[in-house]
Amino acid sequence: MSRRGGADNSVRGPASALTAFLRDSGINTRTLNAFGRAGRRANNEQTVNGANQNAQAGPSTGAGPSGSTVSPARRASGGGDDAEYNSDNLDDSDGGEVAAPAKGKKKPTKAQLLEDKAKAKAKAAASKKRRRDDDDVSGDDDDDDEAFNAPSKGSGTVKAPNIGSFEMCAKCNTRFTVTKYTVPCIPPPGFLCHKCAKDSGQDPFKKAKAAAPRKRKVPADKRKVVNFEQTESVKSLANLCIEIIGKHIDDIEALGNIGQVNMDRIAKIICKNRKLTPENVQLFYDVNRTDLTLYDATSLQPAAFETLASLNPNLKHIRIDLCGRMNNSTITHWASHLHHLTRIELLGPFLVRVEAWRAFFEIIGDRLEGFLITQSPRFDMSCLEAMMKHSSANLSELRLAQVGLLDDEWLPHLALLKKLTSLDISSLTQSLTDEPVIKLLEAIGSGLKHLNLSGHTLLTDKALVDGVGPHCSKLKTFVMSGLELLTDTGVAEFFSTSFNHAPALAEINLSRNHNLASRALEALLAHSGSAMEELRVNSWKETSNETLMEMAQALPKIRTLDVGWCREVDDFVIKAVLDACASLTTVSCHGCNRVTENCPRKRGVIILGVESHSVIA
């Protein structure tokens, strides 16, 4: 069947983007195709004439060296203008049938055969490439010139048209743009638009998903951080029993009298693995218990919290971390059933509302000595006023950390708490400012032993020099991390002048104050180095190596040292600290690129954050 079918053939072949553009512009490709057909006819006539001349030259019926015999089938197929479009002869070779070798000619050698085979292969590849290029430019004729010959059902898969060309949908007869998701019509011929493809039940994206190449994962250069920890070569019987209990806590019926220390270790193991449930939490309950600590109460429902109060009626101190499911009924139930409760510490009581906090203070009254809550967004000014009215007489510990509504207006109420020894008002949504903080410390600072003012980005050196220095002479623990406006000169002045009269501090946390450097550390060590047990100077990146080396002799009682992200810390600083500080148990050096995995070690000392690929510059 000729590709140039009659007018009644409604099946059209694929058209390239160039052909579609020419057709839309009114340019007909018939003339271009006529030139191509005329050239091919001329070549065919020249070949036939040459063969006739060779036949007249001698009686031989074989082809000469430069000629070839034209078969009848070839002559029949090449007789008309449209013969080259006959799809039945598209696979025939250009020379027709293979001619028999001439008589008397020597048989070609093996080398000649290989050479001829290579030349034929190269010629076929060039012809194939030229034919592919011709198809891209002018192979797709106008709809009036060339019709599409749809293959039969048994002829294999239908070749998809070029991406970007236009086609007419075989079902709805709508013109659409061909993409890589275009699917053929079943049964053929033709292709379907996207809408008709989905309506027919075919997934246009299935083939693309299946054919998508799997990307190879490029190995990333990951940092390897090594922690040098002292592990037990032989575990004690008590430690083995505690580990087994932690793994099989759901099968334990009772823990018995194992002591408060072992009970707390089991609680840490269970809470670390998130295995604390309303069923096994009762293993920690006892009618004679006065202190209870649960480190992860995520799985406990409000009913379980109320059961806690009923089974531990003599509790005085209670600490519950991650108690996000605690609600109003829980906090009021505790206040009414725990008659000896004096200290409460909660992390994450999100669901406790204003009315429940007010009722709690009204019920518990003056016996409350410690109120420590973190992340309670509903605690507002009215709750603070209720606390001041009913429970401020004996309150000595107060923590309102990460309480979103607390601001400078709350501080005059806190100034009435004359018995406070511990105050934590850190990490608020709105930063406190210098003047209200100075007035607060002027009122209650004389009795404070623990002060935490971290995360207040608006506090400056003035809060230290005029507030903490002259009014907080009994401090033992001082935490002011994440204050962007503190300066190296201001902190050095604070320790050397305004706070010089106060006794040495036992714990200092001034981490993440990026402006602090050598002068502040020298003044700090001169004031409190002799009695300091915990020091955190994380992110003091401009501190010199000489000043860091002085820590070894200035901190004889240090137990915990954090020098992370101090860029001048190296193996020699670590060695000096390990050799001079006999009580040292933990050193943190995260981000210290000069500390290598070959740094000195000491039995009983944990070194955290050593980057194994660090290289001393």
Side-chain angles (χ1 to χ4, degrees):
M1 175 182 177
S2 174
R3 294 180 64 185
R4 294 178 54 86
D8 56 340
N9 190 352
S10 61
V11 181
R12 303 300 180 186
S16 66
L18 178 59
T19 303
F21 172 75
L22 295 175
R23 181 173 59 247
D24 295 340
S25 302
I27 300 174
N28 194 346
T29 60
R30 179 176 301 178
T31 305
L32 300 177
N33 295 330
F35 282 119
R37 290 193 295 270
R40 286 191 291 271
R41 284 198 302 270
N43 292 335
N44 292 337
E45 292 176 357
Q46 183 177 0
T47 303
V48 172
N49 294 334
N52 294 335
Q53 292 175 2
N54 292 334
Q56 294 175 2
S60 175
T61 57
S66 60
S68 61
T69 302
V70 182
S71 64
R74 181 67 175 174
R75 288 193 298 267
S77 62
D81 292 345
D82 298 336
E84 65 272 12
Y85 292 99
N86 191 342
S87 60
D88 296 334
N89 298 322
L90 290 178
D91 295 333
D92 292 346
S93 60
D94 293 336
E97 296 179 356
V98 179
K103 294 182 179 180
K105 187 175 181 180
K106 293 183 180 180
K107 185 177 180 180
T109 62
K110 187 176 181 180
Q112 291 177 348
L113 290 176
L114 293 176
E115 184 180 357
D116 294 343
K117 187 176 181 180
K119 290 181 179 180
K121 188 175 181 181
K123 183 178 180 182
S127 176
K128 184 177 180 181
K129 182 177 183 301
R130 184 171 59 254
R131 188 162 54 250
R132 184 169 60 250
D133 296 340
D134 293 342
D135 290 342
D136 292 339
V137 177
S138 61
D140 299 319
D141 295 342
D142 190 80
D143 290 344
D144 295 334
D145 296 333
E146 294 184 5
F148 175 74
N149 283 337
S152 61
K153 295 182 180 179
S155 61
T157 58
V158 180
K159 182 179 178 181
N162 296 328
I163 296 176
S165 61
F166 297 98
E167 280 291 320
M168 302 299 292
C169 179
K171 284 193 175 181
C172 64
N173 203 28
T174 303
R175 188 184 184 193
F176 67 95
T177 304
V178 177
T179 66
K180 66 177 181 179
Y181 304 110
T182 300
V183 296
C185 178
I186 301 177
F191 293 86
L192 300 178
C193 64
H194 183 70
K195 183 177 182 303
C196 294
K198 294 186 65 176
D199 294 342
S200 64
Q202 301 186 59
D203 186 2
F205 306 103
K206 183 177 181 180
K207 184 177 179 181
K209 292 176 182 176
R214 186 176 181 181
K215 295 183 178 179
R216 184 176 179 181
K217 211 171 185 181
V218 180
D221 185 15
K222 297 182 179 179
R223 289 195 316 161
K224 183 179 179 181
V225 180
V226 180
N227 299 328
F228 298 126
E229 302 183 21
Q230 185 70 30
T231 58
E232 296 178 338
S233 57
V234 179
K235 295 182 179 180
S236 64
L237 180 60
N239 291 339
L240 289 174
C241 293
I242 289 173
E243 291 181 1
I244 293 175
I245 291 174
K247 292 179 181 179
H248 305 281
I249 189 63
D250 294 330
D251 300 327
I252 305 298
E253 295 182 357
L255 293 176
N257 187 14
I258 61 175
Q260 184 65 31
V261 176
N262 292 331
M263 190 79 73
D264 189 67
R265 291 180 63 185
I266 294 175
K268 288 181 179 179
I269 294 174
I270 296 173
C271 294
K272 182 179 180 180
N273 298 327
R274 290 274 173 104
K275 291 183 177 181
L276 191 68
T277 63
E279 290 76 21
N280 58 38
V281 71
Q282 298 186 19
L283 297 173
F284 304 97
Y285 294 168
D286 193 331
V287 68
N288 297 321
R289 293 200 64 151
T290 58
D291 297 337
L292 178 63
T293 301
L294 300 178
Y295 298 97
D296 189 344
T298 305
S299 302
L300 300 186
Q301 302 288 344
F305 289 117
E306 296 178 8
T307 304
L308 180 152
S310 302
L311 299 180
N312 301 275
N314 294 317
L315 284 179
K316 294 181 179 179
H317 300 163
I318 184 171
R319 173 187 170 184
I320 309 292
D321 290 349
L322 303 177
C323 55
R325 297 189 179 185
M326 180 185 297
N327 57 16
N328 295 347
S329 61
T330 301
I331 199 70
T332 54
H333 184 85
W334 285 1
S336 58
H337 288 75
L338 298 175
H339 302 290
H340 304 283
L341 185 64
T342 59
R343 185 179 185 274
I344 182 172
E345 182 176 355
L346 302 175
L347 171 59
F350 309 111
L351 302 182
V352 182
R353 299 181 179 272
V354 174
E355 55 274 12
W357 286 123
R358 291 200 297 252
F360 172 79
F361 293 124
E362 292 175 3
I363 297 172
I364 202 169
D366 291 341
R367 73 173 186 266
L368 187 65
E369 298 177 359
F371 183 70
L372 300 90
I373 61 172
T374 304
Q375 297 178 1
S376 180
R378 304 178 189 273
F379 196 93
D380 62 1
M381 177 68 80
S382 63
C383 300
L384 178 64
E385 293 174 350
M387 183 186 71
M388 299 300 301
K389 180 179 180 181
H390 302 286
S391 305
S392 62
N394 298 316
L395 194 64
S396 60
E397 291 182 82
L398 178 63
R399 178 190 297 161
L400 298 175
Q402 301 181 39
V403 175
L405 301 177
L406 197 157
D407 55 15
D408 287 336
E409 297 180 359
W410 293 37
L411 300 189
H413 296 275
L414 300 181
L416 302 176
L417 301 173
K418 302 298 182 180
K419 294 185 178 181
L420 275 185
T421 59
S422 176
L423 177 62
D424 183 351
I425 47 176
S426 61
S427 303
L428 307 180
T429 303
Q430 301 180 17
S431 173
L432 301 179
T433 55
D434 290 335
E435 292 300 331
V437 170
I438 292 174
K439 292 180 180 180
L440 173 66
L441 297 179
E442 183 179 357
I444 64 174
S446 58
L448 290 178
K449 296 181 180 180
H450 172 85
L451 178 62
N452 189 345
L453 295 174
S454 301
H456 296 289
T457 56
L458 298 181
L459 290 182
T460 64
D461 299 332
K462 185 177 181 181
L464 285 176
V465 176
D466 298 337
V468 179
H471 304 299
C472 301
S473 58
K474 296 182 180 180
L475 279 181
K476 293 296 182 182
T477 304
F478 182 45
V479 183
M480 289 189 72
S481 63
L483 274 65
E484 300 176 355
L485 300 182
L486 291 185
T487 63
D488 190 33
T489 304
V491 174
E493 180 184 356
F494 164 72
F495 281 107
S496 58
T497 58
S498 63
F499 198 65
N500 193 32
H501 64 283
L505 297 171
E507 299 180 9
I508 297 180
N509 185 351
L510 293 173
S511 60
R512 301 195 309 278
N513 297 321
H514 305 286
N515 296 325
L516 304 188
S518 300
R519 292 188 58 185
L521 183 58
E522 291 173 355
L524 185 153
L525 295 176
H527 177 269
S528 301
S530 59
M532 192 176 305
E533 298 180 359
E534 180 176 337
L535 174 61
R536 300 185 182 275
V537 290
N538 189 295
S539 300
W540 290 26
K541 57 184 179 180
E542 300 298 332
T543 308
S544 65
N545 184 268
E546 293 76 10
T547 306
L548 292 169
M549 291 290 291
E550 295 176 4
M551 293 190 301
Q553 303 300 325
L555 301 172
K557 298 182 179 180
I558 193 69
R559 294 178 177 272
T560 302
L561 178 63
D562 184 1
V563 290
W565 303 101
C566 295
R567 297 301 191 180
E568 296 297 324
V569 175
D570 55 14
D571 292 347
F572 298 99
V573 174
I574 300 297
K575 182 180 185 304
V577 172
L578 293 178
D579 293 342
C581 304
S583 302
L584 188 65
T585 59
T586 305
V587 178
S588 178
C589 55
H590 292 278
C592 300
N593 297 329
R594 293 177 177 268
V595 179
T596 68
E597 60 181 351
N598 299 320
C599 70
R601 310 175 196 177
K602 184 179 180 181
R603 180 177 294 275
V605 180
I606 300 174
I607 304 178
L608 304 174
V610 178
E611 299 184 5
S612 60
H613 69 286
S614 299
V615 178
I616 298 179

